[in-house]
Amino acid sequence: MAPRPAWKGYLKLSLVTCAVELTNVVTHTERVSFRILNRKTGNTVKRIYVDAETGKPLGEADEIKGYELDDGDFVHIEEDEIEAVQIESSHTMALDGFVDKASIQQIYLDTPYYVAPADKVSEEAFAVIRDAMAGKKMAGLARIVLYQRERPVVIEPLGKGMVLTTLRYDNTVRQPETVFGDIKSVKTDQEMTDLAELIIDKKKAKFDPSKFDDKYEEALLELIRAKKAGHKAPKAKAVPKPSNVVNLFDALKKSLSSDSGSAKASSSPKAKRGKPKASAPKRKSA
């Protein structure tokens, strides 16, 4: 069954417009999920809203959204009043700027969606906009109202369709210097850096997401299968914790020799440039 679109509207480039729909890239349908049960009866439970003062449960007709003011009072807002709030980006993504996607810092990228033409009539205009961006190797900037929030987005070609990624607002992003500011500058030893580069060279690979597996979910399924069969929960396997590195130089050498193919790595151009001497003195990390 085709996934349900998360949004339907129009994509606009100057005077060219086409109907499009957004589909979630990520699906959680196969993830392990749990329901909350009554421990005594085994029945499922449900959450209900209760009045914070009286403790009485509320019927759906009695619920209303409220915006809290500074003085503690609330402005009551009906659902249909919220739905009536419409701006251009509620239904139209206007491409008002173009950038190199690589120029957007990773920390601003949020959630991806596939973009596809919503009908046959829109396919030609959609293809023109897609191919023009592909030809210029540019990504388009726009805005969209999604889940009752206007979000900046970046749109780029992807095969026969496009992919849209919502962006975070600058004032919601914690800047790197607020976290990294206290890290002291360290002058690294070139010989140790060369060793680390050799390790990286040996582990170089092509990105293949099909090789990723969720080991935590596998452990949960193992627990579920055991409980279903009437067995006790499997004993947790002790995971060895890495010890503090006392001698960084020795640790790098051991890492290099412990990986397979160390002989090949030692004959690589990198190895010739920064091959550590056996008699090199031990260096201790700070």
Side-chain angles (χ1 to χ4, degrees):
M1 187 172 70
R4 183 180 177 182
W7 184 90
K8 284 187 175 184
Y10 297 90
L11 180 64
K12 181 180 178 184
L13 174 62
S14 190
L15 300 178
V16 179
T17 305
C18 59
V20 296
E21 56 187 30
L22 268 58
T23 304
N24 287 288
V25 169
V26 181
T27 174
H28 300 288
T29 53
E30 295 183 3
R31 294 184 64 86
V32 171
S33 61
F34 297 99
R35 297 283 300 276
I36 303 300
L37 308 178
N38 182 328
R39 185 185 293 273
K40 294 180 180 179
T41 66
N43 297 331
T44 57
V45 300
K46 61 181 181 180
R47 290 188 173 95
I48 58 172
Y49 286 110
V50 298
D51 189 295
E53 298 296 327
T54 67
K56 293 182 179 179
L58 266 67
E60 190 172 337
D62 296 322
E63 297 172 12
I64 187 172
K65 282 185 168 65
Y67 179 83
E68 188 172 6
L69 303 175
D70 292 338
D71 59 6
D73 285 341
F74 289 87
V75 176
H76 291 194
I77 307 292
E78 300 286 353
E79 287 290 347
D80 58 355
E81 292 175 324
I82 294 176
E83 291 174 4
V85 175
Q86 295 286 319
I87 59 177
E88 183 187 23
S89 54
S90 298
H91 51 75
T92 301
M93 295 184 293
L95 294 167
D96 51 16
F98 294 88
V99 299
D100 179 353
K101 172 70 180 304
S103 69
I104 301 176
Q105 289 178 269
Q106 183 70 28
I107 56 177
Y108 289 98
L109 300 175
D110 195 359
T111 308
Y113 295 85
Y114 292 128
V115 186
D119 51 47
K120 293 287 184 183
V121 176
S122 300
E123 288 180 355
E124 184 177 10
F126 179 89
V128 167
I129 296 173
R130 178 200 64 207
D131 292 350
M133 284 197 288
K136 299 300 291 184
K137 297 182 180 178
M138 300 291 275
L141 297 175
R143 291 174 176 269
I144 180 176
V145 173
L146 198 59
Y147 306 121
Q148 297 183 354
R149 291 285 187 277
E150 187 182 48
R151 305 162 195 270
V153 300
V154 59
I155 305 170
E156 58 188 315
L158 182 67
K160 293 188 288 185
M162 297 191 228
V163 64
L164 172 152
T165 305
T166 57
L167 302 173
R168 301 181 178 98
Y169 285 102
D170 187 56
N171 62 2
T172 67
V173 174
R174 185 178 289 113
Q175 294 302 312
E177 56 268 21
T178 64
V179 178
F180 302 151
D182 292 335
I183 299 177
K184 295 180 180 179
S185 297
V186 177
K187 186 176 181 179
T188 57
D189 183 283
Q190 186 58 49
E191 198 168 10
M192 289 195 288
T193 302
D194 288 341
L195 278 172
E197 289 180 4
L198 283 172
I199 296 170
I200 292 171
D201 281 339
K202 287 175 58 181
K203 293 181 177 291
K204 192 182 295 182
K206 290 185 178 180
F207 178 69
D208 183 1
S210 67
K211 291 184 178 180
F212 297 159
D213 53 355
D214 189 338
K215 296 189 183 301
Y216 184 75
E217 178 139 331
E218 290 173 5
L220 283 177
L221 289 170
E222 184 182 353
L223 166 63
I224 292 167
R225 285 191 290 266
K227 298 283 283 186
K228 183 180 178 181
H231 304 313
K232 291 183 178 180
K235 288 186 177 181
K237 298 175 182 176
V239 179
K241 293 183 179 180
S243 58
N244 291 330
V245 176
V246 177
N247 190 304
L248 184 56
F249 189 78
D250 282 352
L252 286 165
K253 287 203 298 183
K254 288 178 181 177
S255 297
L256 191 61
S257 61
S258 65
D259 292 328
S260 60
S262 57
K264 291 181 180 179
S266 64
S267 62
S268 67
K270 287 277 187 183
K272 292 176 182 178
R273 177 172 63 84
K275 186 176 179 181
K277 297 178 181 179
S279 59
K282 293 185 176 180
R283 295 168 173 80
K284 294 188 177 181
S285 61

